[in-house]
Amino acid sequence: MLPESVLQHAPVHVLDVGANPLDDEVPYVDLLDAGLARVTGFEPLPEAMERLRGLAGPHERYLPHAVGDGGRHVLHVCEEQGFSSLLRPDPMRLAHLVDFERLGRVVDEVEIDTVRLDDVPDLGPVDLLKVDVQGSELAVLRSGERALERVLAVQLEMGFWPLYEGQPTAGELDAQLRSMGLMPLQVVQHRTWPLAPTQWADPWEHDSRQIVESDVLYVRDPAGLAVRDLAVLALVADIGYRHRGLARRCLRLLDECGRGDLEAQYVSRLGRHYG
């Protein structure tokens, strides 16, 4: 629905830290399918890396690294792959949620080196950062002071019920993102889970849930952005997240830069779509 002159500012440069292809569809899939994105992904688990490379298209590259503080750490491989983390799972916290004690059981420990984003060669610009690293989100953000200096949008998983020892709080992550000039825009996905001993089959299971984590999208204020960044943020908003309000705001600011009547074209197309 975006005007063609906006699409011409593609590609959107996407950085996916913790790119393990689990059940959730990545937010940039439509941008990638339309040829409007270039993706660099990081994934330290060998099986996940093999799947990623097998599925990768011409505009994707994946690196077998764990992103962190640049030191050597232990990767705790769990019964359920999505629980694997550089942080040790906290059995007491896991026990509060049905099945989590089993899913988060450590089945292997592997020493691995981590890399800082600022130390990755040929990383290039980053427009959209997605982070899903099971508790190490703060380390990822702090590792990219230079690499993320001009990032336009960040989606990351914020934990409200800590599953790992030393896991940063949602408040710490929020403070870090705000210090980078980013503000929360929307909750992309929200996860709750039954509190033990309630079981899935219990008729009151839906009314027995604990908030565990949310994927939250943070964005840079469009005011003051350059023309190219306004267009790319509009692409991220409209095609990546279906956030028509942010896309429209970016187009209005582009109009004020002398780019024509982009907002009016967009609103007209929205009307036909929603009508």
Side-chain angles (χ1 to χ4, degrees):
M1 280 183 282
L2 289 169
E4 182 63 31
S5 61
V6 176
L7 302 182
Q8 292 173 358
H9 288 274
V12 178
H13 297 283
V14 179
L15 190 63
D16 192 340
V17 180
N20 192 347
L22 297 172
D23 296 333
D24 299 334
E25 192 172 74
V26 293
Y28 51 81
V29 63
D30 289 338
L31 287 164
L32 192 58
D33 289 347
L36 299 173
R38 303 292 182 269
V39 178
T40 296
F42 293 86
E43 178 51 55
L45 293 173
E47 290 183 8
M49 173 57 68
E50 185 177 349
R51 289 199 303 274
L52 283 166
R53 286 178 169 168
L55 296 169
H59 303 309
E60 301 168 79
R61 65 164 180 160
Y62 294 99
L63 305 175
H65 305 314
V67 179
D69 61 9
R72 190 166 180 81
H73 295 273
V74 173
L75 176 64
H76 303 90
V77 182
C78 296
E79 180 77 30
E80 172 59 39
Q81 196 175 82
F83 281 68
S84 299
S85 174
L86 294 177
L87 303 181
R88 180 178 293 279
D90 186 335
M92 292 185 63
R93 293 286 186 177
L94 292 171
H96 281 264
L97 301 168
V98 66
D99 293 337
F100 267 37
E101 198 168 15
R102 173 182 60 83
L103 298 172
R105 183 175 66 89
V106 176
V107 297
D108 197 9
E109 294 184 349
V110 183
E111 284 198 3
I112 60 172
D113 294 314
T114 62
V115 297
R116 300 172 67 253
L117 289 178
D118 281 345
D119 295 335
V120 177
D122 303 322
L123 188 59
V126 180
D127 298 315
L128 170 62
L129 169 67
K130 171 186 163 289
V131 187
D132 186 356
V133 288
Q134 299 303 307
S136 297
E137 291 81 8
L138 191 59
V140 170
L141 295 175
R142 289 177 173 172
S143 80
E145 184 176 345
R146 294 192 307 277
L148 303 176
E149 185 177 9
R150 301 180 64 86
V151 67
L152 299 173
V154 175
Q155 177 185 323
L156 85 170
E157 192 175 81
M158 306 184 83
F160 295 96
W161 182 265
L163 304 177
Y164 305 93
E165 297 175 2
Q167 181 177 350
T169 65
E172 290 175 285
L173 292 171
D174 177 76
Q176 175 66 29
L177 288 160
R178 288 174 187 267
S179 75
M180 296 165 60
L182 300 156
M183 297 290 286
L185 179 69
Q186 70 176 33
V187 174
V188 178
Q189 192 170 37
H190 186 64
R191 300 180 186 90
T192 63
W193 206 263
L195 273 172
T198 297
Q199 299 298 309
W200 292 101
D202 292 340
W204 53 86
E205 172 268 316
H206 184 75
D207 299 319
S208 303
R209 288 174 166 254
Q210 162 72 42
I211 178 173
V212 179
E213 60 201 13
S214 296
D215 287 310
V216 185
L217 178 66
Y218 281 69
V219 299
R220 200 169 294 282
D221 186 345
L225 289 181
V227 166
R228 184 264 173 192
D229 289 346
L230 282 170
V232 168
L233 188 54
L235 285 166
V236 170
D238 181 72
I239 301 176
Y241 292 92
R242 303 295 188 270
H243 199 292
R244 314 305 187 190
L246 178 59
R248 183 178 179 183
R249 175 162 170 73
C250 290
L251 296 179
R252 173 171 292 190
L253 291 168
L254 283 169
D255 288 345
E256 293 175 1
C257 294
R259 297 289 157 165
D261 60 347
L262 301 176
E263 183 192 3
Q265 294 178 49
Y266 183 66
V267 169
S268 175
R269 295 177 185 184
L270 283 179
R272 293 196 295 270
H273 177 77
Y274 286 97

